[in-house]
Amino acid sequence: MLLGVNIDHIAVLREARKINDPNPLDALGICKLAGAEQITIHLREDRRHIHDNDAKNIIKLSTLPVNLECSINEKIIEIACKFKPSRVTLVPENREEVTTEGGLDLKSNFERIKNAVNKLHENEIEVSLFIDPTKDMIELSQQLQVEWVELHTGTFANVYAMLHGNLNNTHHSIKELELSREDLKKLLTKSRKEIKKASIFAKELNLKVAAGHGLNYQNVTMISRIKQISELNIGQSIIARSVFTGLKDAIIEMKNLIKD
């Protein structure tokens, strides 16, 4: 299973102080030495972390393939076509959200997404769609003729955190998931089954399957053991761990877990 390391949160630290350090560009060589197979970055419309020059330089200088996450905003798609990453993953984007909260609504935005996909393909960029793990979204992905789908694992990760972590005892507790342990166990099983079922269905339709969002050192093996998933994109947990262990060791530890 391949690992794409999302380095957005290095830029988050930089932007918190409005200075030039730490520079996400410095992570590229470390990621490669540690065994990562891909660099992932998200160029958001509000530029809250990665900026245009970051994306340009990372795509130009990275010796690993670069997966650029972005919205279907026409100006952002134009930037993606100009910089030419190895892959573009189209994601939903809400300016008020802390992080991406769900998969793309392919049904309501079909024509806009189709136009974005066509433009990216015209520029020889492969395309992935960040979607919820449902049959309908996978069928629409096939109709859009993309190469990849990335299954949103956020629901699974939230339930896992409320069941096995300490999230419910913090001010970040998820109110709608403040349930009994028995109910959380059922939800976790259901969520993983949905991801696995979606992965199998996507492979049957000849789509390559990635997964990501909220995956960390505690929950990742439950997803990495789904053999139809060939790639995980993980960012926040790796960068958070690197504060204490260093980036190289943080990536190596994650690689070892997904090989388990």
Side-chain angles (χ1 to χ4, degrees), residues 98 162 166-176 178:
V98 175
M162 291 294 284
N166 193 41
L167 188 61
N168 61 325
N169 291 322
T170 75
H171 58 288
H172 295 306
S173 179
I174 303 169
K175 297 300 179 183
E176 60 268 30
E178 290 178 352

Side-chain angles (χ1 to χ4, degrees), residues 83-238:
F83 293 164
K84 297 191 185 312
S86 300
R87 186 191 314 162
V88 164
T89 298
L90 298 176
V91 302
E93 198 170 295
N94 179 343
R95 286 179 182 266
E96 302 302 317
E97 68 190 2
V98 175
T99 183
T100 307
E101 295 171 346
L104 272 170
D105 182 351
L106 304 185
K107 187 174 183 179
S108 299
N109 298 289
F110 189 89
E111 289 304 320
R112 285 187 68 200
I113 294 170
K114 182 179 180 181
N115 290 336
V117 171
N118 289 343
K119 187 163 186 178
L120 291 164
H121 280 165
E122 287 170 5
N123 284 273
E124 300 184 330
I125 301 168
E126 70 173 7
V127 182
S128 178
L129 301 177
F130 187 73
I131 59 171
D132 291 323
T134 67
K135 183 177 180 181
D136 288 349
M137 291 300 105
I138 293 168
E139 288 176 337
L140 288 169
S141 296
Q142 186 197 41
Q143 291 174 31
L144 287 161
Q145 298 182 313
V146 297
E147 292 85 0
W148 288 81
V149 292
E150 180 168 345
L151 302 180
H152 178 248
T153 55
T155 300
F156 161 84
N158 286 341
V159 176
Y160 190 99
M162 291 294 284
L163 177 61
H164 295 297
N166 193 41
L167 188 61
N168 61 325
N169 291 322
T170 75
H171 58 288
H172 295 306
S173 179
I174 303 169
K175 297 300 179 183
E176 60 268 30
L177 293 178
E178 290 178 352
L179 307 169
S180 70
R181 290 188 61 79
E182 193 59 35
D183 285 342
L184 286 172
K185 287 177 182 178
K186 291 177 182 177
L187 279 177
L188 188 66
T189 299
K190 178 176 180 287
S191 181
R192 187 184 183 277
K193 282 183 178 179
E194 288 172 349
I195 294 167
K196 183 174 182 178
K197 186 176 179 180
S199 302
I200 293 170
F201 185 55
K203 290 292 286 186
E204 289 173 350
L205 296 185
N206 295 317
L207 291 164
K208 290 179 276 190
V209 184
H213 201 79
L215 298 179
N216 58 37
Y217 296 86
Q218 289 72 47
N219 63 30
V220 71
T221 55
M222 288 186 68
I223 300 301
S224 66
R225 288 171 180 166
I226 299 174
K227 64 182 181 179
Q228 290 78 16
I229 297 174
S230 58
E231 174 187 292
L232 299 179
N233 286 294
I234 304 175
Q236 195 273 341
S237 64
I238 290 176

